[in-house]
Amino acid sequence: MQDLPVASIEDVERALQAHRYIADRSLATTIFLALTLDKPLLLEGEAGVGKTEVGKVLAEILDTRLIRLQCYEGIDVNNAVYEWAYAKQMLHIRLLESAGAKRDETEREIYSHQFLVKRPLLQAIESEGARPPVLLIDEIDRADDEFEAFLLELLSDFQISIPEIGTIKADKPPAVIITSNRTREIHDALKRRCLYFWIDYPSVEREYEIITARVPDVPAKLARQVSAFIGEVRRLDLYKLPGIAETLDWTRSLIALGETELSEAAVQATLGAVVKYQEDLERLRGAGSRELLARAVNA
Amino acid sequence: MPDPGAILTRNWLHFGRILRGLGFDAGPARMLPFLTALTVIDLRRADDLRTALHVHFARRRDELAILDRALAAFLRGHVPEGELPSSSSTTSSERGATITITGRQLKVLDDESLAEGAEEQEVASYSQAEVLREKDFDTLSEAEMAEVRRLIRLMRLPAGLTRSRRARAAQPALWW
């Protein structure tokens, strides 16, 4: 258990609010438990609901460094954990050879920390700041199954084994946030090592709070109408429902156009900020964006 | 007088057995951090207790509702005595106010209206999915058709998962 700047669930709630992250108490409770129990936190939810933002805000709350690993298909240990600086090693071997160094001495030297290129996971383990960093492993579902196996040792013991050097263990375990858009199922072995939290789309009232917190210059009427409209859109059977990120983008677009309330013309002109697929756009227009607008305005 | 902390721990361990009966991974590796979590949250707050349960035992979103029902049934504690696991040799008084329920009872408790008189017997039940399965398509109302589409979307093939380059499941056709 670390010496935390947040000593209770209420502290976490207040800190999230102070950093303009509007969340339900359940998320504050989850973050508090993850920090108190030193457990990684797996956040699942649709794209754009604020999962990555949790990692960023947590680093600010803890006043520490954020180390981010963006996952992608094909990511491997060389990109995520460590890599040997081969060119530098070759150069060093030549120098040692010309100096007449012995073979085992050469081997010992080239496999030392000097030639180790530290990638995000190793950086998080070896971090030497006053507070341990926040390690954000973003979109783990994009990585291959094999990559999850690399994470098992890290997440259970906060250590990494490098065959040539040995095992490197964190003095203070980092706060680990893993996010997944659930485009594929994460392996149970990984889930077992984490606390699990599902971030859902916010309610209309909660979304209104988020808009006013993140876009402070938004007129209250516009914020209310936008949150109600987005709430209506999320009832439709779309390929990709708008997340909070889309709501905020849309609100900023409307403000940039000088709108103070929703109108049919403004909605038609900016629907591209709400939905990102042509089929959804057609569906939304077909579903009667005018009716959705009427419901949002009267809400 | 029995130690209230020990009784509480024992009750939660019984709850763990119930979760295992329901198919959750509630072995010692999960129960220990869960019990630790219970010492750092305010147990009088139902929402915090619920969250602690979710974060420790859920592996996917659709399990959250099952955990909620299990917790609600466990806390209601109106389940008859005598359902204690056979491996336990302690008496009821030694155990204190131990509460235990089986997975089967939880299924009965699923329906609030049936919960009051629930017994370990056949319970008359109704399944919308089953009714729809028996009906002909041409007799379905619009609402029933929409429900059929929703259920079809939820269906999964029994085959195992294979790796593909597709990042997201195919969506139903737009004319649906």
Side-chain angles (χ1 to χ4, degrees), chain A residues 143-181:
Chain A
D144 305 311
D145 295 352
E146 293 81 1
F147 179 68
E148 288 180 26
F150 290 130
L151 294 178
L152 298 181
E153 183 186 13
L154 173 81
L155 298 180
S156 51
D157 299 322
F158 294 106
Q159 66 178 35
I160 287 171
S161 297
I162 301 176
E164 298 86 354
I165 290 181
T167 302
I168 300 174
K169 193 171 172 64
D171 291 335
K172 295 173 192 165
V176 183
I177 306 287
I178 304 171
T179 73
S180 165
N181 291 334

Side-chain angles (χ1 to χ4, degrees), chain A residues 26-277:
Chain A
S26 55
L27 181 59
T29 307
T30 306
I31 292 173
F32 176 72
L33 287 176
L35 294 175
T36 310
L37 305 178
D38 284 338
K39 295 279 268 184
L41 173 56
L42 171 63
L43 297 173
E44 274 196 339
E46 298 295 334
V49 291
K51 301 183 294 295
T52 304
E53 200 61 23
V54 171
K56 295 179 184 172
V57 168
L58 189 59
E60 288 176 22
I61 291 173
L62 300 177
D63 189 22
T64 187
R65 188 176 157 215
L66 173 73
I67 298 175
R68 180 175 178 172
L69 175 68
Q70 173 63 54
C71 297
Y72 53 87
E73 198 173 335
I75 191 171
D76 61 10
V77 71
N78 290 339
N79 310 116
V81 188
Y82 72 94
E83 188 172 21
W84 291 107
Y86 295 116
K88 216 171 153 186
Q89 280 176 323
M90 291 298 291
L91 204 61
H92 197 70
I93 290 169
R94 290 281 169 84
L95 288 172
L96 290 173
E97 275 174 355
S98 61
K102 287 179 185 165
R103 186 179 160 179
D104 36 331
E105 187 189 333
T106 308
E107 273 185 12
R108 202 169 42 247
E109 277 205 30
I110 61 168
Y111 288 115
S112 63
H113 281 268
Q114 190 186 347
F115 299 101
L116 194 63
V117 182
K118 294 170 189 171
R119 301 295 187 205
L121 298 185
L122 186 56
Q123 286 174 23
I125 290 291
E126 280 209 315
S127 182
E128 288 176 346
R131 291 179 194 280
V134 170
L135 172 62
L136 173 63
I137 303 173
D138 212 7
E139 302 189 5
I140 182 78
D141 51 330
R142 282 176 183 266
D144 305 311
D145 295 352
E146 293 81 1
F147 179 68
E148 288 180 26
F150 290 130
L151 294 178
L152 298 181
E153 183 186 13
L154 173 81
L155 298 180
S156 51
D157 299 322
F158 294 106
Q159 66 178 35
I160 287 171
S161 297
I162 301 176
E164 298 86 354
I165 290 181
T167 302
I168 300 174
K169 193 171 172 64
D171 291 335
K172 295 173 192 165
V176 183
I177 306 287
I178 304 171
T179 73
S180 165
N181 291 334
R182 220 189 156 190
T183 53
R184 71 169 174 83
E185 200 67 62
I186 306 302
H187 200 279
D188 273 358
L190 185 72
K191 286 188 172 180
R192 268 201 301 274
R193 286 158 171 84
C194 303
L195 298 185
Y196 174 87
F197 189 81
W198 173 267
I199 300 189
D200 216 338
Y201 291 118
S203 64
V204 172
E205 295 74 26
R206 182 66 77 192
E207 194 140 35
Y208 170 74
E209 288 177 45
I210 294 169
I211 294 171
T212 50
R214 304 299 292 224
V215 191
D217 52 344
V218 65
K221 189 175 182 183
L222 182 63
R224 205 163 285 122
Q225 290 176 344
V226 164
S227 51
F229 187 91
I230 292 287
E232 292 292 337
V233 171
R234 288 198 189 120
R235 290 169 194 259
L236 301 176
D237 187 14
L238 299 180
Y239 180 74
K240 165 75 179 75
L241 295 177
I244 298 167
E246 279 81 18
T247 306
L248 296 175
D249 283 348
W250 190 38
T251 309
R252 290 187 188 111
S253 305
L254 291 165
I255 292 173
L257 292 174
E259 303 291 338
T260 53
E261 61 181 296
L262 281 187
S263 65
E264 173 72 14
V267 169
Q268 290 299 336
T270 54
L271 268 183
V274 180
V275 288
K276 305 295 170 69
Y277 289 88

Side-chain angles (χ1 to χ4, degrees), chain A residues 9 25-26 29-30 32-33 37 73 144 146 183 185 188 191-192 194-196 198 200 239 279, chain B residues 25 30 33 36-37 40-41 45 47-48 51 55-56 58-61 153 163 165 167-168 171 174:
Chain A
I9 297 167
R25 183 180 169 92
S26 55
T29 307
T30 306
F32 176 72
L33 287 176
L37 305 178
E73 198 173 335
D144 305 311
E146 293 81 1
T183 53
E185 200 67 62
D188 273 358
K191 286 188 172 180
R192 268 201 301 274
C194 303
L195 298 185
Y196 174 87
W198 173 267
D200 216 338
Y239 180 74
E279 293 89 343
Chain B
D25 172 17
R30 280 268 153 192
T36 311
V40 296
I41 62 167
R45 285 200 63 131
D47 51 349
D48 288 355
T51 304
V55 300
H56 281 90
R59 284 164 298 185
R60 51 192 66 87
R61 182 194 190 185
R153 276 201 295 275
R163 288 183 59 194
R165 297 184 66 81
R168 174 177 286 279
Q171 292 294 306
L174 284 174

